[in-house]
Amino acid sequence: MKYIYLSILMCLLGQASYAQFEVKGRVADLETEEPLIGVSVYYDSLGQKSGVMTDLYGNFTIQVPNREILLHFVMMGYDNKEMRSKNSSLVLMKASSIGLQEVLVTGNRDERRRDELPMAISKIGSDDIDKFKPNSLDQVLNTIPGVHMVDLGNEQHMMSIRQPISTKSLFLYLEDGLPIRPTGNFNHNAMLEMDMAMMDRIEVVRGPASSIYGSEAIGGAINLITTKPTHSPEARFGVRISDQGYARTDFKATGTQGRLGVAIGGYLARQKDGYREYSDMEKNAITANLTYALSNKTDVSAGMTWVDYRADMAGSIDSAGFFANEFKSLHRFTERDVNALRVKTRVDHRWSESGKTSFTFQYRNNTTDQIPSYRLSPRHNNGEINSNSFSSYVGLIQHTQEFNLLQGAILTGGVSFDNSPMAYEAYLIKVNKSEDGIFESYEETDSLLTDYEVDVRNMAAYTNFELKFTSRLQVSLGLRLDRFVYDYRNFLSKESFSGAPNSKDVFRSFSPRVGVIYNFTNDFGMFGNYSRGFVPPSVGELYRGVKVPELKPAKFDNFELGGWRSFLSNKLILDFAMYAMIGHDEIISVRLEDDSFINRNAGKTLHYGLEYSVKYKPVEQLALRASGSNSVHRYMEYVEKGNDFGWNEMPGAPSWIFNAGIDYRPVIVKGLKFSFEWQRVSSYFMDQENSEEYEGYNLLNARASYTFKFVEVWGNIMNITDELYATRASLSYGRKQYTPGLPRTFQVGLNINVGKRKRL
């Protein structure tokens, strides 16, 4: 009998040795607490090894032989972590200090490590945004090599990325990977429709990205990624004021309960009685993001952003007023009023560890009403009131599949549509000027300058294939096909200012990209690529003030070589990119013999340069950075009023832009931070003739903050030396025009963070 009992006992012990315990947990980013998708979670003990991947919410479920076993958490871009299974309900992973390995999503609409993307791409994280406390996005974007965002005041902007300073649709602005405005609608100032209080990070692709994102991604694509729900509840409230009349209140709250995650935030900003006369502004913005886990494989998310914005349009000033530090405005009624709504929903489904599909739908509604200062004519004492509106219905389906081919392959494909009916209406107004030339008031007329509707439809298909021939060599092939239809209906006669007849204009484009990456070591890699970008004429360029539309799409061929290298155990990181881009049929504004302007396709333009950045962190308390670009932008073929400007430099094209900074955290005072910044913009020509030149400027800025428990107080000094500078200088009708930048400005603020870990 004792042998029977002994046998039963041995069986029970044997079963116990193979008993499995279920462990569930969630993995998130240490700083943001946003879920981390695709983290490898595994154990390796006594010959038993098993692993799983985190799902779309960062959740994992793993069977372990005992509750004390050591779990390993591994993900590229993050430091490896180990934790006992019984303590792994919430695992917070720290982003790696190796900047080369950071994870980005903008390169091909999916998560990839930086060293897997054969393109010039940079990221501004939430910590940097929090450090700079920007009132306008140029204050953070200008730290990226090759990016020069021009502040026109009140969050209005111009841009320069591998192109001269411009308002043209050569830069694509995205919110969570979707264009803020549709193709064909003038996307200048699109970023003023963003909610800065809910901005988690910014990713910038430099150079054409048309093979994935389509038109307008010529100089670059800027993806503004909003805050997603965090695992633990947290909230922030902040206020700020400056001595130049700026005041702002921010709020944000986020958290997850069960399967539902919520993040909501916004801000109210006011500018009143600033350094520029007639430059007041009011802006209200709110963003809400919801996530819901239908299962461990399917995730549903929804988001909404609403912005209500109104600002005076002070216009530029002449050289006499600028150099006398008299920033007076000649206007008393010009303004811009924007109401923008974007609503999106997305379903993500992971079929397996190697395949996933996303379905996205977006609705946009936007109205911009203006009495624009740039349309006032001193010569004829008239101007216009205009209204531009659109509604958009956008759909996107994308699938990503991984293959066990050579060292690994990934195929991404998608189709999209965008149906955006637009309407534009403009009335002539008569303006009244005072004896000293100030536009004091206006009288409406019943004279319609422009009255049309355009249905803009864009159908596209794209694919991207990545193949690793070896562990170090990767090739990437991308291709996108676009078809645009502009269904134009004019409600005015052919004799009108905008007299183009009803028409249906169709534009097609084939946008390829080929890229190669070779990683010599884990901290040294290089890439090369060829890409083609395109942009069809915008609705305004094609039909406003036009009798017969004759414009063709502009195309750009870009050749690029770049690389990265880290030294001193990743304390020193170098990044660079060289490029040469040729533009064909660029759309430019040409002055005619009667001094009126018309849009025409220029022959060729040439753009080439070097972009670079250096980051050095010798000790934990000190960090140094520098980024810049040296570039040349020339007309190859360009004739205006019988003058051949071939090989002249394009106006608004500084040959050198540079930004450097020092961050310091003294050991003796925990929670105290200092940072100093130098911004340099070199001289550039103000006109096509290269007859007038603006000398450029240097700016010095300083920032400081102190955090104690959940309270942060901070202060910024912008333009420490009180330098007189213009964010933009141009020559029009023989007159120099300047947009003055901020004088020395003091700003203080207070943030209250509840439930958020202190970032010391």
Side-chain angles (χ1 to χ4, degrees), residues 285-302:
I286 188 168
T287 297
N289 287 324
L290 306 177
T291 58
Y292 186 77
L294 289 177
S295 69
N296 62 351
K297 290 187 175 182
T298 306
D299 168 37
V300 178
S301 61

Side-chain angles (χ1 to χ4, degrees), residues 124 135-144 146-161 163 165-166 171 173 188-192 194 196 202 222 224 654 657 679 681 697 699 725 727-728:
I124 298 173
N135 291 344
S136 56
L137 287 174
D138 62 283
Q139 295 172 8
V140 290
L141 281 171
N142 288 344
T143 64
I144 293 179
V147 176
H148 178 48
M149 181 179 176
V150 174
D151 176 23
L152 299 179
N154 294 331
E155 299 187 34
Q156 300 166 109
H157 59 86
M158 300 177 80
M159 186 60 69
S160 172
I161 309 174
Q163 289 282 324
I165 298 169
S166 176
F171 318 101
Y173 306 113
H188 166 53
N189 278 324
M191 286 194 292
L192 71 77
M194 284 298 299
M196 285 193 288
I202 306 172
I222 299 176
L224 308 159
I657 58 174
Q679 172 80 32
V681 176
Y697 57 87
L699 293 180
Y725 73 102
T727 60
R728 178 178 181 254

Side-chain angles (χ1 to χ4, degrees), residues 199-225:
M199 199 168 298
D200 180 66
R201 65 187 187 275
I202 306 172
E203 296 179 3
V204 179
V205 176
R206 304 189 301 279
S210 293
S211 63
I212 292 292
Y213 291 99
S215 71
E216 299 179 346
I218 304 301
I222 299 176
N223 193 5
L224 308 159
I225 300 172

Side-chain angles (χ1 to χ4, degrees), residues 109 175-179 299-303 342-349 357-364 392-399 414-418 462:
R109 294 184 183 268
E175 179 188 51
D176 295 329
L178 296 172
D299 168 37
V300 178
S301 61
R342 295 182 297 278
V343 180
K344 59 181 178 289
T345 184
R346 173 170 169 161
V347 178
D348 290 282
H349 181 75
T357 304
S358 65
F359 306 85
T360 304
F361 176 79
Q362 182 186 46
Y363 170 73
R364 311 185 196 99
S392 295
Y393 305 88
V394 181
L396 172 66
I397 301 174
Q398 177 173 298
H399 181 77
V415 294
S416 66
F417 74 89
D418 185 333
Y462 62 90

Side-chain angles (χ1 to χ4, degrees), residues 227-330:
T227 299
K228 303 302 184 291
T230 55
H231 176 70
S232 303
E234 63 181 54
R236 162 180 281 202
F237 175 79
V239 295
R240 65 181 70 183
I241 59 172
S242 84
D243 66 336
Q244 296 296 336
Y246 184 80
R248 179 170 135 186
T249 301
D250 296 42
F251 73 95
K252 179 167 67 174
T254 174
T256 299
Q257 181 65 43
R259 295 187 174 189
L260 178 66
V262 179
I264 185 170
Y267 69 101
L268 289 77
R270 301 290 184 268
Q271 172 67 56
K272 189 173 180 60
D273 299 329
Y275 70 101
R276 293 201 64 187
E277 187 180 33
Y278 192 72
S279 60
D280 291 354
M281 178 271 289
E282 305 89 37
K283 179 177 177 179
N284 306 313
I286 188 168
T287 297
N289 287 324
L290 306 177
T291 58
Y292 186 77
L294 289 177
S295 69
N296 62 351
K297 290 187 175 182
T298 306
D299 168 37
V300 178
S301 61
M304 181 277 295
T305 296
W306 172 76
V307 171
D308 183 31
Y309 173 95
R310 196 216 70 86
D312 297 335
M313 295 181 70
S316 55
I317 60 177
D318 60 22
S319 56
F322 176 73
F323 289 106
N325 270 289
E326 296 179 353
F327 303 149
K328 295 185 178 297
S329 173
L330 298 178

Side-chain angles (χ1 to χ4, degrees), residues 615-635:
K615 297 179 182 178
Y616 181 45
K617 194 172 185 177
V619 294
E620 187 64 27
Q621 293 76 31
L622 180 66
L624 298 91
R625 60 167 181 82
S627 64
S629 68
N630 297 83
S631 60
V632 175
H633 306 275
R634 293 186 182 277
Y635 296 111

